[in-house]
Amino acid sequence: MCNRTAKCALVACCLILLGAPALDGQRGGADLKAGPHAEKRSAPGAFAGLPLDFVENRGQWNTNARFVMASSGLTALLEPDAIAMQPGPSHRTGLRLVFEQAAADVELVGEERRLGVYNFFVGSDQARWRSDVPAYAAVRYKRMYTGIDVRVRQGAGRILEYDVLVAPHADLSQVVIRADGATSLDVDSHGTLV
């Protein structure tokens, strides 16, 4: 039940935010104008059926996020202790799900590598160019808590979801997620965080 509730929390947040700009100036925010799927913003219909990619950040973006997922309506920055979501232009604020008391040595690892790669040749400074940058179908936060990993992935209908993966005998009560940027939180009759 707790796993389902935790999973539903991100699903609900993403449903609220889909179709909604970048978190300008907020912690963990990034300039993603030349980000992955930038072409989707100019032609959303042509790319609507494509799966979500989690692109490794090798310095092409000025952020502490290790992976970035960008679609036509949502950008997600996967930071070591949080998932920052930047909605589209119709919303002025974003949402940052912070994993409180997360381990300092959490490791973010891409899973299910995509066949293609991304190339970033933005500006005239070749030192900032990046090529052959891999993308993944999911990202696992290894050892987020003792005996607990978190896996972020695409759910049904191109919705961003996460799973809390609990090893036998691990204490699920370690997992505390704070929603920065939310004006209110409520649990609906299905157990979904709204």
Side-chain angles (χ1 to χ4, degrees), residues 35-92:
H37 306 288
E39 68 277 5
K40 286 187 183 181
R41 287 190 269 277
S42 60
F47 297 94
L50 292 178
L52 301 177
D53 283 347
F54 296 90
V55 180
E56 188 176 338
N57 184 7
R58 293 188 171 173
Q60 69 269 26
W61 297 299
N62 185 22
T63 177
N64 68 339
R66 307 263 173 85
F67 291 86
V68 174
M69 184 287 303
S71 70
S72 60
L74 178 71
T75 299
L77 304 165
L78 279 58
E79 303 170 353
D81 66 342
I83 301 168
M85 291 174 282
Q86 302 176 351
S90 64
H91 291 80
R92 299 202 47 87

Side-chain angles (χ1 to χ4, degrees), residues 97-112:
L97 300 177
V98 180
F99 294 89
E100 292 190 344
Q101 306 294 321
D105 63 344
V106 66
E107 179 184 5
L108 278 72
V109 177
E111 295 184 332
E112 301 173 41

Side-chain angles (χ1 to χ4, degrees), residues 8-187:
C8 291
L10 184 58
V11 172
C13 294
C14 289
L15 285 172
I16 293 166
L17 295 173
L18 279 174
L23 294 172
D24 297 325
Q26 291 196 13
R27 181 179 177 275
D31 178 9
L32 299 175
K33 292 178 186 141
H37 306 288
E39 68 277 5
K40 286 187 183 181
R41 287 190 269 277
S42 60
F47 297 94
L50 292 178
L52 301 177
D53 283 347
F54 296 90
V55 180
E56 188 176 338
N57 184 7
R58 293 188 171 173
Q60 69 269 26
W61 297 299
N62 185 22
T63 177
N64 68 339
R66 307 263 173 85
F67 291 86
V68 174
M69 184 287 303
S71 70
S72 60
L74 178 71
T75 299
L77 304 165
L78 279 58
E79 303 170 353
D81 66 342
I83 301 168
M85 291 174 282
Q86 302 176 351
S90 64
H91 291 80
R92 299 202 47 87
T93 62
L95 184 66
R96 192 162 178 272
L97 300 177
V98 180
F99 294 89
E100 292 190 344
Q101 306 294 321
D105 63 344
V106 66
E107 179 184 5
L108 278 72
V109 177
E111 295 184 332
E112 301 173 41
R113 186 172 174 163
R114 300 289 194 200
L115 294 176
V117 296
Y118 287 81
N119 297 297
F120 300 88
F121 303 113
V122 179
S124 59
D125 182 3
Q126 293 184 14
R128 293 193 47 92
W129 293 359
R130 301 293 184 267
S131 61
D132 297 321
V133 178
Y136 301 88
V139 173
R140 183 183 293 247
Y141 286 76
K142 286 187 165 185
R143 299 175 309 279
M144 178 72 87
Y145 299 97
T146 303
I148 297 175
D149 290 355
V150 174
R151 184 173 191 252
V152 183
R153 61 181 174 76
Q154 173 183 329
R158 292 177 47 87
I159 295 173
L160 195 65
E161 292 185 352
Y162 69 85
D163 303 307
V164 176
L165 308 171
V166 182
H169 309 292
D171 181 9
L172 184 59
S173 70
Q174 300 173 85
V175 181
V176 177
I177 303 171
R178 186 179 74 238
D180 291 345
T183 55
S184 65
L185 297 172
D186 194 22
V187 178

